[in-house]
Amino acid sequence: MTNELVEVVLPLPLPTTFTYRIPGEMRGQPVGVGFRVIVPFGKKKFYTGIVTGLPLHPPAGFEIRDVALILDETPVIRHPQLQLWNWVADYYLCSVGDVYKAAVPSGMKMESETFVEVNPDFDFGRFPLKNDLENEIYQLVEHEEQMTVSAIVKKLDRRGTAATANRLLSRGVLIVSEKLVERYVTKKQTCLRMAPGMTEAEAFQLIGAARKQETLLLTLLAMQRSRDGRKSPGDEAPLPRHIVKSELLERAGTASSIAAAMIKKGILEQYTVEVNRFRYDGAPLAGLPALSQPQQEALDNIHLSWKEKDVTLLQGVTSSGKTEIYIHLANYILGRGDQVLYLVPEIALTAQLTRRLQAVFGDRVVVYHSKFSDNERVDIWKKLLDSREPLLILGARSAVFLPLAKLGLVIVDEEHESSYKQFDPAPRYNARDVAMVLARFHGAKTLLGSATPAVETFYKAENGKFGLVRLMQRYNNVELPEIEIVDMKEARARKELSGTFARRTVDLALDTLRRDRQIIFFQNRRGYAPVVRCRQCAWVPRCEHCDVSLTYHRALRQLQCHYCGAVYPLPTVCPQCKEPAIEEIGYGTERVEDELSALLPGKSILRMDLDSTRNKHSYEQIIESFSEGKARILVGTQMVTKGLDFKDVEMVGVLNADAVINYPDFRSGERGFNMLEQVSGRAGRRDGSRGKVVVQTYEPTHPILQFVRQHDYEGYYRREIAQRQRFFYPPFVRLIYVYIKHRDAATLRRLAALYADNLRQLLGGRVFGPDEPSVARVQNLYIRRIMLKIEVNASVSRIKELLRQTYIDLHSDPAMKQTVVYYDVDPQ
């Protein structure tokens, strides 16, 4: 019996799913869990929903609406994915609709554009049009057949047009027509082949003495024969014999007009084929990388650990060769016929890794991240849906939501990185933790890798929840870099500063360049100057929408807010004191690049930050240029600290360590140690020469810097875990931040206090605040934060229920209707 009802999740932040009816004319079509359906919602909207269940009975007391369209013949979401969506929604205190919206490429979600058309059944005899404007609107829509309301207003350009159109809608003269638009556009290629029934002999006879046509035909035949019998890796079927027109013309050295002439003669036929955007660059396959004895021992210990634990932490110092171990493990899993998910924290890392992995695994490597277009992401999604073959999926955090069929291993490289945490919008998940849950749902193993593991991760490994394998020796016994602390107070007193550079830093850089080696300078601020100020009256331009000063970007000649993205012109005259006294304060990566050009003339410099990597292939181009030695110096933000491998880098300069270690947050010590230790690991990775790391600071005795100087993770961890236990922070509790936002500061203060008081009645001393975060207004919304410290073994579902009930109870206050409330679980 065909099911008449479907339970559907919509891509909306709503705490429930919705029941719809399959209309009679659709009941012969297949539909089940994981299918996409178009459904009406609200007065005039249509959404793409995902079927999550097939209820036998409709919910009592609700109107059941009909499904408008069934989009698929087979599911586009697998069962473990729906499990994962529900887990993410429960744990991170959001809706399943939030997860669905984030997980599925927008190219697979059809959207509705509201159009109006005349109602052919309207009875004008009983309800005539009331005035000339109504008549004009009706005549216009009838003539155009379909129009948006905004188009009607623009066309007529008369006062009251929009209101009159809405009245016609409410009276039924006009009706809403939903024109469904699918974003995904298939990619097609134009191909050429011999016309049906045309023999080679007949073709040459028709060509006669036309040499260019003869060359084109010979090239076509050669390409055709070279593809005959060539097979896809791991497949018995021959590759399709499609000859792409552009490739053929390029190889033959002929123009498109030659092909057109041959098509006109009936020799060739032109046609199009749909192609998948997933491509392999065709690099020659290499064998597995050789392992050193310490690497082999670590690999063996990982396999032993997995006999008892599902999750193992590999703590390997920088440049110890963790990637080679990952490749061996991936090869083992792929050999079993299973799939591997390989997560990296930054898109920049995929550029180097893709080549290394493709050299071993060929077209079994699939790359997925947010820099891909919607169409490319849909292609990869479909490839994974249509295939159960062993594949290695390399991606950033969003890759955890892909439709994996047979997952055998999850690798989370640089697991400590805060980049795995999604901040906005919901779901505010940590991909590392979600990946471990995903692996559990598939019965797969998880390997977490880092030189500086997160405190919570190392605590679990040390206490037996995770397995622990250590690799504490660099590959080929290369020494860890020497760390030199440069006291900036002393340098300033001796007048040995040039802008942001101490003389000692410049001298070491010159020595490095004389040896024709490369340098990385780390400055964790983009733009030219973090602050612009009037040197007369100290006026500082601030964002109109956020409580932050504006950053100056000299390349664009504008000020920019790094929170809401608003841009402002740089004033030439101070608007407060009317003096032309505007100056730039501080150093961003742009300014560091300029200063280096002046200090080290003639040296090529590259910059890698958010501004220089906005284009899809920017990461790859910068990394490739630096790897090939086209530049001697790379300036960057934290992007340059994470797992990049440059063989000729001998020196790393940290220009402002204080900004990293003194951030007002309980994780500042952890974040500072990890970032400094990781960036130092980019130096001296090859050929036996010891690298050099120069750390500029005004606090040379800071304990974090002493641990970095000794590469002492163990000492740092002991100090950090003792502080966490003393002040009751993770891993000894679970943190949940409740964020409350409102446009009016006074209303927000009242509501936040009320919210905290209600939560204290339920949770007692686990509630702290409300307080102001470091940035207390963003996009014209004032912000307050309440912190909850919850026992690690507390029920997540119970906490979610209490928070939900508090939210509902407070909605008796009218001001709550304009209030934004959301939760951040396990904040980073």
Side-chain angles (χ1 to χ4, degrees):
M1 177 180 174
T2 304
N3 208 78
E4 295 183 9
L5 301 173
V6 289
E7 198 69 19
V8 175
V9 61
L10 300 176
L12 299 170
L14 301 171
T16 187
T17 54
F18 298 88
T19 305
Y20 287 87
R21 180 181 290 105
I22 303 292
E25 65 272 16
M26 294 185 193
R27 287 183 190 162
Q29 293 181 243
V31 64
V33 173
F35 281 65
R36 291 179 303 160
V37 290
I38 300 294
V39 294
F41 189 79
K43 290 184 178 180
K44 57 179 181 178
K45 290 290 184 181
F46 282 73
Y47 291 97
T48 301
I50 300 289
V51 176
T52 60
L54 302 171
L56 296 175
H57 305 287
F62 295 96
E63 177 191 358
I64 306 300
R65 302 173 74 177
D66 286 348
V67 168
L69 188 64
I70 299 171
L71 288 176
D72 306 302
E73 296 181 357
T74 57
V76 296
I77 307 293
R78 298 185 188 275
H79 176 66
Q81 287 176 279
L82 290 175
Q83 272 188 294
L84 189 70
W85 290 6
N86 286 316
W87 182 89
V88 170
D90 282 341
Y91 187 85
Y92 291 103
L93 305 176
C94 62
S95 71
V96 179
D98 284 324
V99 185
Y100 162 35
K101 189 172 183 178
V104 177
S106 55
M108 294 179 67
K109 298 192 283 280
M110 297 173 76
E111 293 187 342
S112 63
E113 296 176 358
T114 303
F115 283 72
V116 295
E117 61 185 36
V118 298
N119 181 358
D121 300 321
F122 189 76
D123 188 349
F124 287 99
R126 294 179 60 194
F127 306 103
L129 296 176
K130 295 180 178 180
N131 53 49
D132 291 342
L133 182 55
E134 286 191 358
N135 189 61
E136 283 187 54
I137 293 172
Y138 180 84
Q139 297 290 340
L140 176 63
V141 175
E142 184 179 41
H143 179 265
E144 297 292 337
E145 296 184 352
Q146 281 186 336
M147 290 188 76
T148 64
V149 174
S150 59
I152 296 169
V153 171
K154 185 177 180 181
K155 183 78 173 177
L156 295 181
D157 194 22
R158 286 184 58 180
R159 185 177 179 181
T161 300
T164 303
N166 283 327
R167 281 198 298 272
L168 292 176
L169 280 167
S170 65
R171 282 161 46 199
V173 179
L174 302 180
I175 57 175
V176 170
S177 170
E178 290 295 332
K179 177 185 175 185
L180 294 168
V181 179
E182 188 169 10
R183 283 201 184 111
Y184 175 67
V185 179
T186 58
K187 181 178 180 180
K188 295 182 178 180
Q189 286 183 331
T190 302
C191 300
L192 290 173
R193 62 189 171 199
M194 293 277 284
M198 177 66 61
T199 66
E200 292 183 20
E202 290 172 331
F204 282 110
Q205 187 175 359
L206 287 170
I207 287 171
R211 296 296 182 192
K212 290 184 179 180
Q213 293 184 20
E214 182 182 50
T215 300
L216 184 62
L217 180 58
L218 288 169
T219 306
L220 174 78
L221 295 173
M223 290 176 69
Q224 190 76 54
R225 291 188 184 107
S226 70
R227 297 192 179 196
D228 287 354
R230 187 162 67 92
K231 297 174 181 177
S232 304
D235 195 355
E236 294 304 317
L239 288 167
R241 303 177 186 179
H242 300 303
I243 306 299
V244 179
K245 181 180 179 181
S246 57
E247 184 183 342
L248 172 63
L249 295 177
E250 182 179 355
R251 193 171 295 189
T254 55
S256 182
S257 58
I258 305 300
M262 295 175 71
I263 293 168
K264 190 173 182 180
K265 288 181 179 180
I267 300 170
L268 300 182
E269 179 183 57
Q270 182 171 297
Y271 64 103
T272 58
V273 293
E274 185 177 325
V275 295
N276 193 297
R277 288 174 174 80
F278 173 70
R279 297 181 300 274
Y280 166 51
D281 65 9
L285 299 185
L288 290 172
L291 298 183
S292 65
Q293 183 179 345
Q295 286 175 313
Q296 186 61 53
E297 289 175 0
L299 179 63
D300 295 339
N301 288 333
I302 290 168
H303 283 291
L304 288 173
S305 173
W306 278 340
K307 290 184 178 180
E308 298 180 1
K309 311 287 183 184
D310 288 333
V311 180
T312 293
L313 168 65
L314 172 61
Q315 184 193 11
V317 297
T318 55
S319 194
S320 58
K322 295 186 291 294
T323 304
E324 286 79 7
I325 294 175
Y326 300 157
I327 290 173
H328 276 259
L329 290 169
N331 184 65
Y332 168 72
I333 298 297
L334 294 173
R336 291 191 332 198
D338 293 343
Q339 295 173 337
V340 178
L341 176 61
Y342 188 148
L343 293 181
V344 292
E346 289 278 0
I347 296 170
L349 295 180
T350 61
Q352 280 193 332
L353 273 173
T354 299
R355 294 191 197 89
R356 292 180 70 178
L357 296 173
Q358 284 183 337
V360 178
F361 302 115
D363 64 355
R364 289 186 290 175
V365 177
V366 177
V367 183
Y368 186 85
H369 54 66
S370 59
K371 285 287 184 180
F372 284 171
S373 67
D374 278 340
N375 289 334
E376 289 171 313
R377 295 170 79 184
V378 170
D379 272 341
I380 293 168
W381 189 284
K382 289 185 173 183
K383 176 184 176 68
L384 293 173
L385 266 182
D386 296 340
S387 172
R388 297 182 67 85
E389 64 182 301
L391 297 170
L392 189 156
I393 297 92
L394 173 66
R397 61 174 179 254
S398 60
V400 296
F401 295 119
L402 285 168
L404 304 171
K406 200 178 176 188
L407 187 62
L409 171 63
V410 173
I411 298 168
V412 185
D413 194 18
E414 311 292 357
E415 64 82 28
H416 64 277
E417 278 292 344
S418 60
S419 300
Y420 282 122
K421 174 73 172 181
Q422 164 75 12
F423 290 98
D424 274 313
R428 296 170 179 84
Y429 66 99
N430 189 312
R432 174 198 62 200
D433 300 334
V434 173
M436 288 189 279
V437 174
L438 175 67
R440 188 172 76 235
F441 287 161
H442 280 268
K445 300 296 184 183
T446 301
L447 182 67
L448 308 176
S450 177
T452 55
V455 169
E456 291 97 320
T457 302
F458 196 78
Y459 179 80
K460 290 174 183 176
E462 195 176 47
N463 287 276
K465 185 172 182 180
F466 297 163
L468 176 60
V469 175
R470 285 191 167 104
L471 182 59
M472 308 310 289
Q473 184 176 316
R474 276 187 150 189
Y475 190 71
N476 282 342
N477 292 315
V478 173
E479 287 186 273
L480 287 166
E482 177 189 357
I483 310 289
E484 180 173 335
I485 307 294
V486 175
D487 186 341
M488 296 294 279
K489 283 189 293 187
E490 186 176 315
R492 183 179 292 277
R494 294 181 177 180
K495 298 184 178 179
E496 293 179 349
L497 287 185
S498 176
T500 193
F501 291 90
R503 182 181 297 170
R504 175 63 177 164
T505 305
V506 176
D507 289 344
L508 289 169
L510 287 169
D511 287 344
T512 302
L513 293 171
R514 275 193 287 268
R515 289 191 294 276
D516 199 29
R517 306 305 296 273
Q518 291 178 307
I519 305 170
I520 293 176
F521 284 109
F522 167 56
Q523 174 74 347
N524 206 27
R525 277 188 177 274
R526 63 187 175 99
Y528 186 81
V531 178
V532 171
R533 184 180 67 188
C534 174
R535 62 176 172 267
Q536 292 289 349
C537 68
W539 171 81
V540 173
R542 303 181 69 83
C543 180
E544 295 173 2
H545 315 291
C546 311
D547 281 341
V548 292
S549 58
L550 299 170
T551 299
Y552 177 46
H553 291 253
R554 198 169 77 166
L556 303 173
R557 294 293 300 171
Q558 64 186 17
L559 300 167
Q560 185 176 42
C561 175
H562 285 177
Y563 281 82
C564 70
V567 295
Y568 304 84
L570 177 70
T572 55
V573 174
C574 173
Q576 184 166 281
C577 70
K578 311 304 180 186
E579 285 292 316
I582 301 296
E583 62 178 352
E584 298 94 19
I585 306 296
Y587 290 81
T589 47
E590 269 187 61
R591 192 171 189 179
V592 170
E593 183 182 15
D594 279 2
E595 290 223 344
L596 283 170
S597 296
L599 288 168
L600 306 170
K603 302 300 179 184
S604 51
I605 302 169
L606 289 170
R607 174 166 56 88
M608 189 160 77
D609 55 27
L610 184 62
D611 300 313
S612 66
T613 57
R614 293 191 184 277
N615 295 331
K616 178 179 172 182
H617 298 293
S618 300
Y619 292 103
E620 188 173 349
Q621 290 164 356
I622 293 170
I623 290 168
E624 185 175 315
S625 294
F626 195 62
S627 296
E628 294 175 354
K630 294 178 181 177
R632 308 316 297 163
I633 300 169
L634 175 65
V635 177
T637 56
Q638 60 181 342
M639 291 179 182
V640 303
T641 70
K642 303 174 184 180
L644 295 171
D645 184 14
F646 301 116
K647 62 183 177 64
D648 287 331
V649 171
E650 185 178 287
M651 175 182 162
V652 168
V654 179
L655 301 183
N656 186 3
D658 304 325
V660 177
I661 59 180
N662 289 324
Y663 192 80
D665 181 75
F666 81 94
R667 292 190 190 275
S668 63
E670 177 181 17
R671 194 177 291 115
F673 178 86
N674 290 351
M675 198 173 290
L676 295 173
E677 184 66 17
Q678 289 287 335
V679 75
S680 73
R682 301 315 107 206
R685 297 173 68 91
R686 308 280 179 85
D687 72 17
S689 61
R690 191 180 188 191
K692 181 85 169 182
V693 180
V694 182
V695 180
Q696 297 187 165
T697 176
Y698 285 88
E699 298 182 67
T701 59
H702 195 291
I704 292 297
L705 296 180
Q706 303 315 309
F707 291 127
V708 171
R709 191 176 201 167
Q710 301 299 321
H711 301 287
D712 183 10
Y713 175 84
E714 192 85 15
Y716 144 75
Y717 170 78
R718 297 293 165 215
R719 176 182 182 272
E720 186 71 22
I721 202 71
Q723 288 189 331
R724 299 279 185 95
Q725 188 167 23
R726 179 184 176 190
F727 295 107
F728 214 45
Y729 277 103
F732 303 101
V733 295
R734 174 181 297 140
L735 285 190
I736 301 174
Y737 288 160
V738 182
Y739 284 95
I740 307 170
K741 298 182 178 182
H742 198 282
R743 290 186 178 275
D744 181 72
T747 301
L748 177 63
R749 282 194 297 271
R750 179 179 65 82
L751 289 175
L754 186 61
Y755 217 103
D757 289 344
N758 283 24
L759 287 174
R760 282 191 187 93
Q761 292 177 21
L762 298 170
L763 297 169
R766 302 175 183 86
V767 181
F768 299 83
D771 57 18
E772 285 189 357
S774 56
V775 178
R777 183 173 64 103
V778 174
Q779 292 182 321
N780 291 322
L781 290 174
Y782 293 91
I783 308 168
R784 289 292 183 277
R785 183 180 69 188
I786 301 169
M787 180 170 65
L788 308 181
K789 291 184 176 180
I790 306 297
E791 293 85 347
V792 173
N793 57 358
S795 167
V796 174
S797 59
R798 177 59 178 157
I799 297 298
K800 185 174 184 179
E801 182 183 323
L802 292 173
L803 290 170
R804 178 70 184 163
Q805 191 57 50
T806 302
Y807 177 76
I808 291 171
D809 290 346
L810 285 174
H811 260 69
S812 59
D813 190 317
M816 281 296 292
K817 293 180 181 178
Q818 287 81 43
T819 305
V820 177
V821 178
Y822 64 86
Y823 313 102
D824 188 4
V825 180
D826 300 338
Q828 291 292 311

